[in-house]
Amino acid sequence: MGELSTTSQEGRSEVTPSPIVDEAAPAANPRRRNSVLARLRSLRSPRRPRIWFEVLLIAASYWVYSLVRNAVPEQKAEALRNADWIWSVEKHLGIAVEQTINHAVNSVTWLIVSMNYYYATLHFIVTIGVLVWLFHRHPGRYAAARLTLFATTAVALLGYYLYPLAPPRLMSGGHFIDTVLVHHTWGSMASGNFKNMSNQYAAMPSMHIGWSLWCGLIIFALASAPWARILGLLYPMVTLVVIVATANHFWLDALGGMACVAFGYAVSYAWYGSLPHRLPKQVPLPQGRSRPAGPSTGAVIPADRRATDVAVRR
């Protein structure tokens, strides 16, 4: 059925395709293409994050980041040569003041010790805190902001592999002070008892700057309180002073971190078609579903539901 039989001159029976089949076959391709496009649009649309998935994703991502970063060959000789080159470039540009800042801050014990612990802790605490805040208060923007952070970190790994760089405190003739060793704090995973757990020659780009700038921009763009927005701007600035004062990075390492953040935002924009702070605060619900009303969602309760609630309360 669905096929037509004809008889040729030689008396043999030939089978020709049914016109019904011919008409139906081309229609399958557009439907398949539409299905693929719909699936792609679904993936690019912000959706409500799930806590268990995000915890696993962030933990796995940081584990992979640490694994790859520490697996990059240290290439000590090349890293020291690159450090000498950057130091000479900064001298030529007139911005080689890291050593002066390092020695000046080191002379104030309470200040440099505070900076050591700042370097060791806030890098993780603030970044995780901003992710948690986005998850609860800005679920519609969370995925785009997280993609920005992940893309920023991923391109930094490429920098560690292609351009090994020694931090100033490890330069042979730089006369920088390793403030962690001098003051016996654990302000750097690449000093003291932790030096064998981390690649010490992965200073370019600085992810302390990359992550702090990501946090600062997100807070400045989305926080409603003026004091919070000011703190958002100050956070990467203070971090810049800390990484230089502790002799963990050059100024140019910070520029590398900023370039990584710009790349991360470009990737997020290309995928979602908008910057994270311009996306809806809440995730749009499918048609036919209503969002529970509450102070955190800002949803509007339908009139018939409000009337029912009033009647019940009475």
Side-chain angles (χ1 to χ4, degrees), residues 74-152:
E74 290 194 350
Q75 300 169 305
K76 180 178 178 179
E78 183 179 356
L80 290 172
R81 285 196 301 269
N82 289 337
D84 290 335
W85 182 83
I86 283 188
W87 188 232
S88 64
V89 168
E90 290 194 352
K91 286 181 178 179
H92 179 73
L93 296 175
I95 60 173
V97 296
E98 290 94 332
Q99 186 183 96
T100 302
I101 296 174
N102 174 237
H103 284 257
V105 177
N106 184 71
S107 64
V108 184
T109 302
W110 67 267
L111 181 58
I112 193 60
V113 169
S114 300
M115 286 188 174
N116 284 342
Y117 288 120
Y118 179 111
Y119 186 89
T121 59
L122 291 192
H123 180 52
F124 305 102
I125 294 174
V126 176
T127 304
I128 293 175
V130 171
L131 284 170
V132 171
W133 174 63
L134 286 170
F135 182 91
H136 287 287
R137 301 299 298 274
H138 300 268
R141 297 158 177 160
Y142 175 86
R146 187 238 291 139
L147 177 59
T148 302
L149 180 63
F150 279 25
T152 297

Side-chain angles (χ1 to χ4, degrees), residues 54-89:
E54 295 302 326
V55 170
L56 289 177
L57 179 63
I58 292 172
S61 300
Y62 185 73
W63 177 75
V64 171
Y65 166 76
S66 300
L67 187 67
V68 174
R69 181 180 186 272
N70 297 335
V72 172
E74 290 194 350
Q75 300 169 305
K76 180 178 178 179
E78 183 179 356
L80 290 172
R81 285 196 301 269
N82 289 337
D84 290 335
W85 182 83
I86 283 188
W87 188 232
S88 64
V89 168

Side-chain angles (χ1 to χ4, degrees), residues 197-217:
M197 298 172 57
S198 177
N199 182 2
Q200 299 187 73
Y201 302 102
M204 172 67 84
S206 168
M207 276 298 94
H208 274 75
I209 290 298
W211 288 8
S212 66
L213 182 59
W214 175 85
C215 292
L217 292 175

Side-chain angles (χ1 to χ4, degrees), residues 19-300:
I20 298 178
V21 177
D22 288 345
E23 293 175 0
N29 289 334
R31 283 200 297 267
R32 188 177 296 109
R33 285 196 298 269
N34 292 338
S35 175
V36 171
L37 291 175
R39 178 61 179 167
L40 182 61
R41 284 194 297 268
S42 175
L43 291 174
R44 297 179 65 182
S45 300
R47 59 184 65 187
R48 176 167 288 277
R50 294 165 291 181
I51 183 64
W52 64 268
F53 176 79
E54 295 302 326
V55 170
L56 289 177
L57 179 63
I58 292 172
S61 300
Y62 185 73
W63 177 75
V64 171
Y65 166 76
S66 300
L67 187 67
V68 174
R69 181 180 186 272
N70 297 335
V72 172
E74 290 194 350
Q75 300 169 305
K76 180 178 178 179
E78 183 179 356
L80 290 172
R81 285 196 301 269
N82 289 337
D84 290 335
W85 182 83
I86 283 188
W87 188 232
S88 64
V89 168
E90 290 194 352
K91 286 181 178 179
H92 179 73
L93 296 175
I95 60 173
V97 296
E98 290 94 332
Q99 186 183 96
T100 302
I101 296 174
N102 174 237
H103 284 257
V105 177
N106 184 71
S107 64
V108 184
T109 302
W110 67 267
L111 181 58
I112 193 60
V113 169
S114 300
M115 286 188 174
N116 284 342
Y117 288 120
Y118 179 111
Y119 186 89
T121 59
L122 291 192
H123 180 52
F124 305 102
I125 294 174
V126 176
T127 304
I128 293 175
V130 171
L131 284 170
V132 171
W133 174 63
L134 286 170
F135 182 91
H136 287 287
R137 301 299 298 274
H138 300 268
R141 297 158 177 160
Y142 175 86
R146 187 238 291 139
L147 177 59
T148 302
L149 180 63
F150 279 25
T152 297
T153 307
V155 75
L157 291 174
L158 186 62
Y160 299 148
Y161 183 84
L162 296 177
Y163 195 79
L165 178 67
R169 58 185 175 76
L170 292 182
M171 290 178 64
S172 55
H175 305 293
F176 285 90
I177 300 171
D178 191 331
T179 59
V180 172
L181 292 179
V182 171
H183 298 280
H184 306 289
T185 58
W186 43 274
S188 172
M189 287 293 289
S191 294
N193 296 329
F194 297 103
K195 63 183 179 182
N196 294 324
M197 298 172 57
S198 177
N199 182 2
Q200 299 187 73
Y201 302 102
M204 172 67 84
S206 168
M207 276 298 94
H208 274 75
I209 290 298
W211 288 8
S212 66
L213 182 59
W214 175 85
C215 292
L217 292 175
I218 291 292
I219 294 172
F220 178 77
L222 298 180
S224 56
W227 61 266
R229 301 182 70 189
I230 293 173
L231 287 179
L233 291 179
L234 289 177
Y235 177 50
M237 297 179 186
V238 174
T239 301
L240 179 59
V241 175
V242 168
I243 66 172
V244 170
T246 56
N248 281 292
H249 289 283
F250 297 99
W251 295 123
L252 293 182
D253 299 346
L255 290 180
M258 295 175 191
C260 290
V261 175
F263 174 82
Y265 270 101
V267 170
S268 181
Y269 184 87
W271 182 255
Y272 288 100
S274 178
L275 294 175
H277 67 278
R278 295 187 180 276
L279 292 170
K281 180 177 181 179
Q282 300 295 334
V283 180
L285 291 177
Q287 294 183 356
R289 295 183 60 186
S290 59
R291 190 188 306 278
S296 61
T297 63
V300 178

